[in-house]
Amino acid sequence: MAADDQTRDAGPGPEDDNEIRDDEGRLVADFVDGVADAIGANDAERVRELAGDLHESDLGDLIETLEHDDRPKLVEMLGKDFDFAALTEIDETVRVQLLEELAPETVAEGVRELESDDAVYILEDLDQVDRDKILAQLPALERLALTRSLDYPEDSAGRRMQTEFVAAPAFWTVGHTIDYIADAQELPDTFYEVFVVDPTYKLVGSVPLDRLLRTRRSKLLSEILEEDPRTIKATEDQESAARTFERYNLVSCAVIDENERLVGVLMVDDIVDVIEEEADEDLRALGGVTGDEEISDTVMYTARSRIPWLLINLVTAFLSASVIGLFEATIEQMVALAVLMPIVASMGGNAGTQTMTVAVRALATREIGGHNARRLVRRETLVGLANGSVLAIVVAIIAGLWFKNAQLGAIIGTAMVVNLVCAGLFGILIPIALDKLKADPAVASSVFLTTVTDMVGFFAFLGLATWWFGLGGVS
C-alpha cells in the first residue's frame, strides 16, 4: 500500500468529536498519530481533512501534543484553514517557539482575522524585534490599534480589551442604530450593548441589546440609555477588573483611557481567562513556583526559576536546625525527644498552611481590610487554640503510652498547643505583613511560616522537656 493511502486510513477525522477525545477529554492517540503521519508524508490534503475544521481549543491541544518540528508544518499545511485563535489556547513557550518559526507575513495574515484582544494576546510575549516584523506587515490602521493596546502595561485591562465595539451618538434613534448594526461591516463578532458617546468619544451611557430591541424605532438613544455605566480604566490591573465583573455580575464593560474616552470593551470570556490565570498563578506561588512556568518549559528554565526559593528554604531550614542544636545535650539524654519532636513541628506546619491558604485567598479577593483584620487574627488564633487542645490530648495519650511516661505526654501536649496557636497567629499575620510590604504573600508566606512553626515547635517541646526533667540544659 502506498504511503499516501496509509495516511488516509490513519486516524479519525474531525467529523466525530467522540473519536477525537476520550472519556477524560484528552485527544485520542490514534487521531494525533494520524495527523502526525499525514504531516510526515507531506499529505496536506489529509491534514486539512483531519484538522481543518477543528475548534480552536481542539486545535490548540493538537499543537501542544505534536512534536516540535511538526507544529509549523501543521500551520503551513492547513494554510487558510488554520485558525490563529488556537494560539490563545496553548502554553506561552509553545506559542512563542511556533511564532518564531513562522514567516512574519503568515502570522500577520492570521492575526488580521482575529479580534484585537486575541491578536494582542498572541503578540505580547514575542521579542520586540519579532513583534515589529509582524506589525510591519499589517495595514496602518490595524497596526496602530494593536500598537496602542500593546503599549498598555502587561496584565492591564488595556491588554485584555478588544478595540472593536458598537458606539453611537445620543441623538440617533433606535431604528437608525439597528440599521447601522445590520449594515456595518467592522463590528465585533459578539457584543451585548451599544455605547453612547459624545463627539469627543467620552462615554455618556450604554443601551443593552435587549432594551434596544424592545423599544420602538422612533425613540432616541438618549431617552433609553443607562447613565453612568460601570467603566474600567485601561491601565487598571486585570485582576482588579475581574473583581469588578464578579462584584457587579457584568457581561461586558467599557474601558476608558486617562482622558475618560472610550477605547475598548472587556468581555466576560476574557475575564474568565483572567480569573483562571490568577488562580493558577496563586496556586503555583503557594508551592514556590513562578506564575509563568509551563509544563512545556525546558529543564534549565524550570530549574532556574525554582532554585531561588529552594535556596531561601535551605537557609530557613538551617535556622530551624540551629534550634535543635541548642538542645543537643537534652536529646542525647532522652532519645524519645528526637522521635517525637518532628510531630510537633509537622502539625504546626500543617495547621499554619491551612490558615495561610485562607488568608492568601482573602487577600487576593480583597476580603481582608482594616475593618476585619483584627477579628480574623483573633479568630485564627482561637482556632489554633481549639485544635491544639484537641490534638494535645490525643498526642499526649499516645506518647505517654508509647514511652510509658505520662510527663513526656503532658510536655508534648503542651508544646502542641503552643505551636498551633502560633501557627494560627502567624499563618494570618505573615501574609498580611507581606501584602503591606507590597510582596506577593502567595509566594513568600509558606517559607517564612514553615520556619516559624518549626522553630517554635522545636523550642517549645525541647525547652519544656529540658526545664521539666532538668536535662542537659541549653548549649
Side-chain angles (χ1 to χ4, degrees):
M1 183 180 293
D4 284 355
D5 293 334
Q6 288 178 333
T7 56
R8 290 179 190 282
D9 293 335
E15 63 275 357
D16 189 346
D17 291 342
N18 292 327
E19 293 185 28
I20 291 177
R21 293 188 179 272
D22 60 22
D23 293 338
E24 297 182 2
R26 293 187 293 262
L27 292 178
V28 296
D30 287 346
F31 171 68
V32 177
D33 291 342
V35 175
D37 289 344
I39 293 173
N42 289 318
D43 188 350
E45 183 181 346
R46 179 58 177 165
V47 170
R48 288 193 294 271
E49 180 184 339
L50 287 170
D53 294 328
L54 289 180
H55 185 274
E56 62 193 55
S57 178
D58 297 326
L59 186 55
D61 285 349
L62 176 61
I63 292 171
E64 288 188 324
T65 307
L66 289 173
E67 294 295 329
H68 177 273
D69 293 339
D70 286 342
R71 292 164 182 165
K73 293 179 182 177
L74 173 69
V75 178
E76 293 168 2
M77 290 184 181
L78 286 177
K80 293 184 179 298
D81 291 332
F82 181 76
D83 184 359
F84 269 76
L87 299 186
T88 65
E89 304 288 336
I90 63 179
D91 289 349
E92 176 187 332
T93 303
V94 176
R95 179 170 59 251
V96 171
Q97 290 174 347
L98 178 56
L99 290 172
E100 288 176 346
E101 295 186 28
L102 296 174
E105 298 82 2
T106 301
V107 179
E109 185 178 349
V111 163
R112 290 193 66 189
E113 303 300 321
L114 302 177
E115 292 186 340
S116 58
D117 55 333
D118 289 336
V120 169
Y121 186 81
I122 289 173
L123 297 176
E124 64 180 349
D125 296 314
L126 291 173
D127 292 337
Q128 188 66 47
V129 174
D130 293 330
R131 187 193 303 172
D132 290 343
K133 289 180 181 178
I134 295 170
L135 291 173
Q137 305 297 320
L138 298 174
L141 289 178
E142 295 179 25
R143 181 171 63 250
L144 180 62
L146 290 179
T147 301
R148 184 173 62 176
S149 294
L150 288 165
D151 285 340
Y152 286 112
E154 188 176 359
D155 295 330
S156 66
R159 285 284 186 96
R160 284 293 188 179
M161 71 180 182
Q162 63 180 56
T163 54
E164 302 90 0
F165 51 83
V166 182
F171 59 80
W172 274 17
T173 64
V174 169
H176 188 172
T177 305
I178 292 175
D179 292 340
Y180 166 73
I181 293 173
D183 296 335
Q185 300 295 319
E186 302 298 328
L187 295 183
D189 293 336
T190 304
F191 59 94
Y192 302 101
E193 56 190 327
V194 174
F195 297 110
V196 181
V197 295
D198 68 11
T200 63
Y201 247 74
K202 289 187 176 180
L203 189 64
V204 176
S206 65
V207 181
L209 284 184
D210 59 336
R211 182 181 302 177
L212 184 74
L213 296 175
R214 291 173 177 173
T215 304
R216 293 188 178 280
R217 292 176 59 87
S218 58
K219 283 274 190 180
L220 296 176
L221 293 183
S222 60
E223 299 179 67
I224 62 171
L225 62 80
E226 292 182 355
E227 296 182 351
D228 300 321
R230 303 282 176 194
T231 59
I232 293 172
K233 288 191 176 296
T235 53
E236 187 175 332
D237 185 82
Q238 63 178 16
E239 190 173 358
S240 175
R243 284 196 295 272
T244 300
F245 268 73
E246 180 184 19
R247 186 177 299 118
Y248 299 109
N249 299 319
L250 301 179
V251 177
S252 64
C253 187
V255 180
I256 58 175
D257 64 10
E258 64 277 5
N259 297 315
E260 298 188 350
R261 291 176 301 189
L262 181 65
V263 292
V265 58
L266 275 174
M267 306 293 285
V268 68
D269 61 320
D270 302 314
I271 296 301
V272 170
D273 291 338
V274 170
I275 293 172
E276 182 180 0
E277 283 181 15
E278 296 293 342
D280 185 53
E281 183 178 329
D282 289 342
L283 180 63
R284 296 183 192 191
L286 285 171
V289 177
T290 57
D292 60 351
E293 181 179 318
E294 304 286 358
I295 60 174
S296 56
D297 290 335
T298 63
V299 172
M300 287 302 298
Y301 177 85
T302 304
R304 191 168 59 248
S305 67
R306 294 183 186 180
I307 196 64
W309 282 108
L310 290 176
L311 289 173
I312 294 173
N313 205 4
L314 181 62
V315 173
T316 59
F318 274 108
L319 289 175
S320 301
S322 67
V323 175
I324 300 175
L326 294 174
F327 298 94
E328 182 178 356
T330 300
I331 297 172
E332 287 178 353
Q333 296 180 53
M334 184 176 283
V335 179
L337 298 177
V339 176
L340 294 174
M341 64 182 185
I343 297 175
V344 181
S346 175
M347 294 306 298
N350 289 335
T353 299
Q354 290 177 330
T355 300
M356 180 194 69
T357 302
V358 173
V360 169
R361 180 190 177 279
L363 286 168
T365 56
R366 298 297 186 266
E367 295 177 19
I368 293 182
H371 63 287
N372 63 355
R374 290 185 179 180
R375 179 175 59 83
L376 290 173
V377 170
R378 183 170 62 252
R379 188 195 74 168
E380 292 302 325
T381 304
L382 292 175
V383 168
L385 177 61
N387 287 340
S389 299
V390 173
L391 293 172
I393 295 172
V394 175
V395 75
I397 293 173
I398 294 175
L401 293 175
W402 187 358
F403 295 98
K404 298 180 176 58
N405 189 331
Q407 296 179 69
L408 183 61
I411 288 171
I412 191 173
T414 304
M416 185 73 74
V417 173
V418 171
N419 203 20
L420 261 72
V421 169
C422 286
L425 178 62
F426 286 96
I428 192 167
L429 285 181
I430 289 175
I432 290 176
L434 290 171
D435 187 62
K436 292 289 185 183
L437 295 172
K438 306 302 181 184
D440 188 349
V443 175
S445 295
S446 59
V447 174
F448 296 126
L449 179 61
T450 301
T451 303
V452 169
T453 54
D454 284 353
M455 294 179 68
V456 170
F458 292 146
F459 194 88
F461 181 47
L462 298 176
L464 284 170
T466 300
W467 170 72
W468 185 260
F469 293 114
L471 299 171
V474 178
S475 57

